[in-house]
Amino acid sequence: MRTKLTMYEAIKGIDDDDHQWREKKDIESALQISRSSFPPDKERLVSLDVFRGLTVALMILVDDVGGIVPAINHSPWDGLTLADFVMPFFLFIVGVSLAFAYKNLSCRFAATRKALMRSLKLLLLGLFLQGLFGLCFQRIAIAYLVAALCEIWLKGSHNVSSELSMIKKYRFHWVVAFVITTIYLSLLYGLYVPDWEYQISSEDQGSSTFLNLKVKCGVRGHTGPGCNAVGMIDRMFLGIQHLYRKPVYARTMQCSLNSPNNGPLPPDAPSWCQAPFDPEGLLSSLMATVTCLVGLHYGHIIIHFKDHKKRLNQWILRSFCLLMLGLALDLFGMQLNKPLYTLSYMCVTSGASGFLLSAIYLMVDVYGYKRASLVLEWMGVHALPIFVLIACNLVFLIIHGFYWKKPINNLLHLIGIGK
C-alpha cells in the first residue's frame, strides 16, 4: 500500500510533509468548511484537484470516443484537437503542484532523493503498463524530475514582495527553460536526417515474409512525418524495433484512404507510412519538461500572492502571452504539432492550461461552486488509480473474469461492450 501511495503522490506532485495536498479521509466535510476559516498559507485549493480530475475525464473521453469521433481524436500530424490537450494538461498541473511539494525544504539532499525515487517509480510503472500509456508515464516522470530538481536547487533565498522579485527569485528556472528550448530547436532544425530503412512483416499463405522499405530523406530541418530529427534520434538511441508500431501519422491523407481515420494505404502512399514512430520520444520530451516548468511558475504565483485578483491577473496575462506567441509561431511556419511537441504547440497548450486553471479557480475557489465539481474533484484526488484501472482497460479485464457458468456470460457481454 505504501508503494501505491507514493506513486500516486508522484503524479500529483505533492510532498509527504505538506498536509495541504494529502488525500483527505473525509472530502465531503472538508468541502463544507468555509474558506475564510483557513489562514492563507493553510488554504487548500480545490481547483487543482478539479483541474486534474477534468484532465482524467478528458483523457477517458478521447480514448473511448476518439475513434468514433475523429474531431476529438489526436491530430494525424500538424494541427490541434481536443485529445492533444490531455498530455500538456497533465504536465502543467504536475508543475503547479510541485510548487507546494518543495515550498519548505529542510534538507535539499533528502528532497532530491525523494524526487529521484518518485520519478523512478513512475518510470517503472510506465514499463509495467508498456504501450502508449506507459510512454505517457515515462514522459511525466522525466518532466517531474527536471522540474523538481529546479525547484530544489535553483530557487533564490530572498523574499518575494512583487512580481519582479518573484521573477528574480526563480530566474534560474527560466534559464533552464531557455536552454532546453534552445537545445530542442537546434536539434530539430539543425540535424541532418539521412535516408533510412525499416522492415515490415506480412502473411503470405500462412508464412511470414519480411519487406525492407527505404525512406528517402537527405534533408535538414524537415518537420514532416518521415524525415524529422525527433524520429531519427529515437531510432538512433532507442532502436527502431522498440518504437511504437501504430504511429499517429498512419491516419494522414497520404497514408489512409479513410483519413482522418485509419484505413487502407493509398496506391501512391509514401514509404514511411508504416514506419514505427514513438509518440513520446526523447527529443520531444525536452519541450514537455518546459510545459511542466511553466506550470511550476503558475504554482509560484499561488504561493507568493494570496489575493484572488492578483493571482487571476497574473495567470491570465501569462496565458494570453503564451497563446499569442504560439499562434504567431504557427502563422510564421512553426506548425502546432503534438508528436514533435513543437515550441508553438507548447505555448498554445500551456496558455490554454493557464486559462482553464483560471476559470476553474474562479468558479470553485473564488465563487465557491464546489458541489458542481465534486465528481471531478474526486477523480482528481484519485487520478492515478483511475488512470491505471480505466484508461488502461484493467477494470474491464477484471470484470471480464467474472462470469456465470461460461466465460461468455459476463457483465461486459451482457451490456454489449464485450460483443
Side-chain angles (χ1 to χ4, degrees), residues 400 402-414:
H400 201 279
F402 294 92
Y403 56 86
W404 173 253
K405 293 184 178 180
K406 297 180 180 180
I408 197 174
N409 298 326
N410 60 74
L411 182 60
L412 295 181
H413 184 85
L414 180 65

Side-chain angles (χ1 to χ4, degrees), residues 28 43 50 63 73 91 104 128 148 158 193 199 214 237 243 262-263 271 287 299 328 332-333 335 363 388 407:
E28 183 177 356
E43 179 182 332
V50 174
D63 181 47
N73 199 2
L91 293 168
N104 299 314
F128 170 74
H158 57 279
V193 182
Q199 192 177 72
K214 184 175 183 179
F237 289 99
L243 302 185
N262 288 306
S271 57
M287 287 307 298
F332 287 103
Q335 301 295 325
M363 180 186 75
V388 173

Side-chain angles (χ1 to χ4, degrees), residues 240 311-312:
I240 194 169
R311 287 175 175 175
L312 287 169

Side-chain angles (χ1 to χ4, degrees), residues 341-406:
Y341 218 107
T342 55
L343 177 59
S344 58
Y345 171 78
M346 188 279 296
C347 290
V348 168
T349 53
S350 295
S353 301
F355 277 123
L356 180 61
L357 177 62
S358 301
I360 295 175
Y361 177 80
L362 184 65
M363 180 186 75
V364 176
D365 289 309
V366 177
Y367 291 117
Y369 296 119
K370 297 179 181 179
R371 288 189 176 182
S373 60
L374 278 175
V375 174
L376 292 177
E377 183 192 0
W378 179 85
M379 293 179 68
V381 171
H382 303 89
L384 185 58
I386 293 173
F387 183 94
V388 173
L389 290 175
I390 297 181
C392 299
N393 294 323
L394 292 184
V395 71
F396 299 111
L397 292 175
I398 294 172
I399 295 175
H400 201 279
F402 294 92
Y403 56 86
W404 173 253
K405 293 184 178 180
K406 297 180 180 180

Side-chain angles (χ1 to χ4, degrees), residues 254-374:
Q254 300 101 307
C255 300
S256 173
L257 292 174
N258 299 333
S259 181
N261 293 317
N262 288 306
L265 285 171
D268 57 344
S271 57
W272 46 260
C273 280
Q274 301 176 77
F277 183 85
D278 200 326
E280 317 291 343
L282 297 175
L283 183 57
S284 57
S285 292
L286 285 180
M287 287 307 298
T289 62
V290 178
T291 297
C292 199
L293 289 171
V294 171
L296 180 61
H297 179 65
Y298 278 67
H300 292 154
I301 294 174
I302 300 175
I303 295 292
H304 297 293
F305 299 94
K306 303 304 178 182
D307 181 68
H308 293 315
K309 187 176 181 180
K310 286 185 177 179
R311 287 175 175 175
L312 287 169
N313 285 342
Q314 293 195 43
W315 284 346
I316 292 173
L317 175 62
R318 284 157 176 76
S319 300
F320 178 80
C321 292
L322 284 167
L323 189 61
M324 290 299 103
L325 176 59
L327 293 176
L329 290 172
D330 179 64
L331 182 64
F332 287 103
M334 186 182 289
Q335 301 295 325
L336 298 169
N337 188 293
K338 179 189 179 295
L340 302 181
Y341 218 107
T342 55
L343 177 59
S344 58
Y345 171 78
M346 188 279 296
C347 290
V348 168
T349 53
S350 295
S353 301
F355 277 123
L356 180 61
L357 177 62
S358 301
I360 295 175
Y361 177 80
L362 184 65
M363 180 186 75
V364 176
D365 289 309
V366 177
Y367 291 117
Y369 296 119
K370 297 179 181 179
R371 288 189 176 182
S373 60
L374 278 175

Side-chain angles (χ1 to χ4, degrees), residues 19-37:
H19 64 83
Q20 298 176 74
W21 304 100
R22 285 181 180 271
E23 182 178 359
K24 302 297 184 180
K25 293 182 179 180
D26 191 352
I27 297 175
E28 183 177 356
S29 61
L31 290 173
Q32 293 174 348
I33 301 175
S34 171
R35 294 174 63 251
S36 61
S37 64

